[in-house]
């Protein structure tokens, strides 16, 4: 993985040829066909008009391919942040969504410029599976109304309230839309087993749209639900941005930027493994940022690199960003010239498409496996999952990260061991001392060893262990040979120990301090306080210094 801020397109064009161009065009056309129903369905489920999903796929898809750090990434609207988008639209309208999308784009550019591309991927897996599964369940819940053709008007946003309404409105089910949705879902499940080249979503749309049109079935379509669909491409415009709106929308913008970073970089990693390439993570984030700003200016939604579309691109021969550009141009052609056909697509079919998306992203097998993981990971997994479903994604990720951090600190504290060393212990270094010297030193010197990271989680443990010392001693040696890192709290604990030693006329010696901890204690002035002679790089030096102090030399 490279961190260079150079678009991948500039690199691949050096060796580009006609044969690859043909493959990229074919892959781009196929991916556009896959992206069409997804873009429309995600837009409708997010509370905006269908063409806004197409604007997003066209504009964001174009810029992600043009400027991105991956050879094969395909960008567009994603189910991952559909829940966040819906809540923003419900609370702040379409203008609020455009501002949020632009803010998310700015944050993504900052992520890239600050070179956070490699850091963002270090998100604990239980959190990723937890919120992904939670989003999948939420998406599935949002499709019940259209799949069963229920005339319910506005559906509550809350998960429990939504399902209460569904169960109370069971008599509202219309069997014709349900049959169309069921046929579409059956095709989505069965078709890939018959033919993997032609997208199942395309077949399901063609079959169900033809059934509704030719048989004149009483089924809601995109055209009947959205009568004022535009087939023209919008001019860019800047929404009315105020400081109060920025303060309100910054939180969902950060959530979208985080999710966008996570999904796009995971997609890039997956695609690297499939084509034997290396993406440029920070350039990818900058491109995602530019794409989201452009999407917001053209009236679109948030966008990211999508794993499913990227994999489809690879499997159909796409190997350069040209495939992504072709995908965007194809969708633009459909918007401008084929919108009358798009209006005929049944809403139940789009619901079936998203139900299939929710199933694929649910990762239920991995969810089940993680339930057998250590209890701390299970707590993080279930907390993130239920908070995503019952409350919101921002809270779920925040709590998940805080929980993970605390549990990590607990694990590191458990790993860090503080133990006293007696002069008659089995220790290779102590074997170097003769028995007479050991006996003489045993009454005058105490030796303690810290094993593991010495940080704020282990500082109290250290002080408690030291306070349990019995009897007076002239020298206290703290061996730090197995301490790879030290933090400010641990340094403070050593300071407190030094003060206690001074009050009891005991000399504190730090032995075998590694380079990283030594830099820290020197920078904060602890070496000067203890005395340079009392900070030893080797154990024999520490013993020699102790002998001087107890006058045994």
């Amino acid at each position: 993985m490279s961190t260079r801020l150079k678009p991948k397109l500039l690199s691949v064009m050096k060796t580009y040829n006609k044969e690859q161009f043909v493959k990229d065009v074919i892959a781009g056309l196929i991916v556009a066909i896959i992206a069409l129903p997804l873009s429309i369905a995600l837009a409708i489920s997010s509370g905006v008009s269908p063409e806004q999903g197409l604007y997003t796929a066209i504009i964001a898809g174009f810029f992600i391919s043009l400027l991105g750090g991956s050879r094969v990434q395909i960008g567009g609207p994603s189910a991952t942040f559909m829940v966040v988008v819906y809540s923003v639209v419900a609370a702040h309208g379409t203008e609020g969504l455009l501002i949020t999308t632009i803010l998310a784009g700015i944050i993504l550019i900052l992520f890239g410029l600050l070179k956070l591309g490699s850091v963002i991927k270090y998100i604990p897996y239980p959190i990723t599976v937890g919120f992904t599964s939670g989003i999948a369940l939420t998406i599935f819940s949002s499709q019940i109304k259209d799949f069963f053709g229920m005339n319910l008007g506005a559906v509550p946003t809350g998960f429990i309230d939504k399902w209460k309404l569904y169960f109370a409105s069971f008599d509202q089910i219309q069997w014709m839309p349900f049959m169309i949705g069921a046929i579409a879902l059956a095709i989505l499940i069965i078709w890939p087993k018959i033919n993997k080249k032609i997208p199942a979503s395309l077949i399901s749309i063609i079959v169900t749209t033809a059934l509704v049109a030719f048989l004149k079935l009483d089924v809601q379509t995109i055209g009947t639900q959205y009568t004022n669909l535009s087939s023209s491409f919008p001019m860019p415009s800047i929404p009315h941005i105020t400081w109060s709106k920025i303060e309100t929308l910054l939180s969902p913008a950060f959530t979208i930027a985080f999710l966008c970073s996570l999904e796009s970089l995971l997609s890039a990693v997956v695609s690297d493994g499939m084509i034997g390439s290396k993406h440029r993570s920070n350039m990818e984030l900058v491109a995602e940022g530019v794409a989201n700003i452009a999407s917001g200016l053209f009236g679109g939604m948030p966008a990211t690199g999508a794993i499913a579309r990227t994999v489809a691109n690879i499997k159909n021969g796409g190997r350069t960003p040209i495939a992504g550009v072709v995908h965007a141009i194809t969708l633009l052609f459909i918007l401008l010239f084929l919108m009358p056909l798009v209006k005929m697509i049944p809403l139940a079919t789009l619901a079936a498409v998203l139900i299939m998306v929710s199933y694929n992203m649910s990762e239920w097998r991995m969810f089940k496996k993680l339930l057998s993981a250590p209890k701390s990971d299970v707590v993080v997994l279930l907390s993130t999952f239920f908070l995503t479903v019952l409350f919101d994604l921002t809270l779920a990720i925040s709590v998940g990260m805080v929980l993970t951090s605390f549990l990590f600190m607990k694990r590191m504290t458990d790993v860090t061991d503080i133990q006293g060393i007696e002069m008659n212990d089995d220790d290779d270094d102590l074997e170097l001392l003769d028995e007479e010297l050991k006996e003489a030193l045993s009454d005058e010197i105490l030796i303690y060893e810290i094993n593991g990271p010495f940080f704020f989680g282990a500082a109290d443990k250290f002080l408690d262990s030291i306070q349990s010392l019995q009897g007076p001693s002239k020298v206290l040696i703290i061996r730090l040979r197995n301490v790879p890192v030290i933090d400010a709290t641990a340094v403070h604990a050593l300071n407190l120990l030094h003060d206690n030693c001074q009050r009891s006329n005991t000399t504190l010696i730090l032995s075998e301090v590694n380079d990283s901890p030594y830099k820290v204690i020197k920078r904060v002035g602890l070496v000067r306080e203890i005395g340079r002679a009392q900070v030893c790089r080797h154990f024999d030096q520490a013993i020699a210094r102790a002998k001087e102090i107890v006058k045994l030399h």
Side-chain angles (χ1 to χ4, degrees):
M1 179 190 65
S2 172
T3 57
R4 286 191 300 160
L5 290 175
K6 179 183 178 183
K8 204 72 171 181
L9 181 63
L10 296 180
S11 301
V12 301
M13 291 309 291
K14 294 174 184 176
T15 57
Y16 201 59
N17 55 51
K18 184 180 176 181
E19 183 184 353
Q20 186 55 55
F21 175 73
V22 172
K23 289 180 180 178
D24 286 338
V25 169
I26 293 170
L29 290 171
I30 293 171
V31 173
I33 292 167
I34 295 170
L36 175 67
L38 279 176
S39 302
I40 294 171
L42 289 169
I44 292 172
S45 297
S46 299
V48 297
S49 63
E51 66 264 35
Q52 285 182 263
L54 290 177
Y55 298 160
T56 308
I58 294 165
I59 292 294
F62 176 78
F63 280 107
I64 287 172
S65 294
L66 186 72
L67 302 175
S70 168
R71 293 175 66 100
V72 290
Q73 187 88 278
I74 301 293
S78 170
T80 306
F81 33 69
M82 191 193 86
V83 180
V84 184
V85 172
Y86 185 86
S87 63
V88 170
V89 174
H92 306 285
T94 302
E95 186 177 62
L97 175 61
L98 300 182
I99 295 171
T100 305
T101 304
I102 292 170
L103 288 175
I106 294 169
I107 294 166
L108 282 163
I109 291 175
L110 290 175
F111 282 174
L113 295 178
L114 293 172
K115 298 189 175 179
L116 298 179
S118 57
V119 176
I120 288 168
K121 288 182 293 184
Y122 295 124
I123 305 297
Y125 195 54
I127 291 180
T128 305
V129 173
F131 77 69
T132 304
S133 300
I135 291 168
L137 181 56
T138 307
I139 292 170
F140 172 77
S141 302
S142 69
Q143 300 311 305
I144 299 300
K145 171 176 169 277
D146 286 337
F147 189 76
F148 287 98
M150 295 176 170
N151 293 318
L152 301 178
V155 177
T157 55
F159 179 80
I160 293 174
D161 292 336
K162 194 175 289 181
W163 279 99
K164 278 182 180 177
L165 178 62
Y166 290 154
F167 285 121
S169 308
F170 209 69
D171 58 340
Q172 296 282 329
I173 292 177
Q174 296 187 36
W175 294 104
M176 195 56 69
F178 170 64
M179 290 299 293
I180 291 297
I183 291 170
L185 191 58
I187 292 171
L188 289 167
I189 295 169
I190 297 168
W191 183 258
K193 298 174 184 177
I194 300 170
N195 188 312
K196 293 185 178 180
K197 290 289 183 183
I198 304 173
S201 57
L202 176 64
I203 301 300
S204 68
I205 285 174
I206 291 173
V207 171
T208 54
T209 302
L211 281 173
V212 171
F214 291 127
L215 299 178
K216 294 184 170 43
L217 301 178
D218 184 19
V219 173
Q220 284 270 56
T221 65
I222 292 174
T224 57
Q225 182 83 3
Y226 299 90
T227 53
N228 297 319
L229 275 183
S230 172
S231 60
S232 61
F233 195 71
M235 294 298 292
S237 63
I238 301 173
H240 180 61
I241 301 174
T242 64
W243 183 250
S244 63
K245 288 180 180 177
I246 291 174
E247 287 180 323
T248 304
L249 298 170
L250 200 56
S251 176
F254 261 107
T255 303
I256 289 170
F258 170 78
L259 293 174
C260 177
S261 305
L262 194 61
E263 182 169 1
S264 62
L265 294 181
L266 285 174
S267 174
V269 170
V270 169
S271 63
D272 280 353
M274 293 179 73
I275 64 173
S277 178
K278 286 188 177 181
H279 72 282
R280 296 166 185 160
S281 56
N282 295 314
M283 188 65 240
E284 185 65 25
L285 292 182
V286 171
E288 304 277 346
V290 172
N292 276 278
I293 292 172
S295 180
L297 294 176
F298 280 89
M301 305 157 53
T304 184
I307 294 177
R309 277 160 273 179
T310 300
V311 170
N313 178 36
I314 294 168
K315 287 185 176 179
N316 286 284
R319 288 295 181 274
T320 79
I322 297 297
V325 173
V326 171
H327 139 269
I329 294 171
T330 304
L331 289 174
L332 176 61
F333 177 84
I334 292 170
L335 172 70
L336 297 177
F337 302 107
L338 301 179
M339 209 58 176
L341 294 176
V342 171
K343 290 179 182 179
M344 298 168 67
I345 300 173
L347 293 179
T349 300
L350 294 180
V353 170
L354 282 185
I355 286 172
M356 201 65 198
V357 167
S358 68
Y359 174 80
N360 289 332
M361 76 181 292
S362 66
E363 299 192 69
W364 66 270
R365 291 182 182 85
M366 185 52 64
F367 192 98
K368 186 179 176 182
K369 276 186 182 178
L370 283 175
L371 291 175
S372 303
K375 288 181 181 177
S376 57
D377 289 324
V378 175
V379 169
V380 172
L381 172 72
L382 294 179
S383 300
T384 309
F385 174 76
F386 284 113
L387 287 171
T388 300
V389 172
L390 299 176
F391 295 96
D392 67 75
L393 201 53
T394 307
L395 178 65
I397 293 171
S398 302
V399 171
M401 289 301 293
V402 170
L403 266 177
T404 303
S405 300
F406 277 119
L407 291 168
F408 175 76
M409 288 184 283
K410 173 70 168 59
R411 284 175 184 166
M412 288 298 99
T413 303
D414 292 342
V415 166
T416 303
D417 174 51
I418 296 99
Q419 60 180 5
I421 299 174
E422 300 290 338
M423 281 296 174
N424 56 4
D425 278 355
D426 250 350
D427 188 291
D428 290 341
D429 292 327
L430 293 176
E431 289 296 326
L432 299 175
L433 306 176
D434 59 61
E435 292 301 320
E436 185 182 350
L437 186 57
K438 282 185 188 180
E439 188 176 346
L441 291 178
S442 61
D443 295 330
E444 306 288 351
I445 298 173
L446 285 171
I447 304 174
Y448 262 67
E449 182 163 20
I450 303 173
N451 298 298
F454 192 18
F455 70 118
F456 62 91
D460 280 341
K461 187 177 179 180
F462 168 72
L463 289 174
D464 289 343
S465 299
I466 296 297
Q467 285 169 3
S468 66
L469 293 173
Q470 299 294 323
S473 62
K474 290 186 178 179
V475 179
L476 171 61
I477 298 176
I478 304 294
R479 301 189 72 178
L480 300 170
R481 58 180 173 171
N482 295 319
V483 175
V485 290
I486 191 170
D487 73 353
T489 308
V491 171
H492 178 63
L494 289 174
N495 266 314
L496 291 176
L497 177 61
H498 181 236
D499 293 341
N500 290 338
C501 287
Q502 284 184 316
R503 283 193 290 271
S504 59
N505 294 318
T506 300
T507 300
L508 175 64
I509 295 177
L510 301 182
S511 172
E512 301 142 285
V513 187
N514 290 308
D515 289 340
S516 178
Y518 182 78
K519 288 176 185 175
V520 174
I521 64 173
K522 184 179 180 182
R523 192 163 57 242
V524 299
L526 184 60
V527 172
R528 187 175 61 253
E529 270 189 57
I530 293 176
R532 181 66 189 83
Q534 273 70 259
V535 180
C536 307
R537 288 301 182 99
H538 304 285
F539 185 62
D540 56 353
Q541 292 173 349
I543 291 295
R545 180 60 185 149
K547 284 165 60 180
E548 289 176 17
I549 294 167
V550 297
K551 304 187 186 304
L552 288 177
H553 57 287

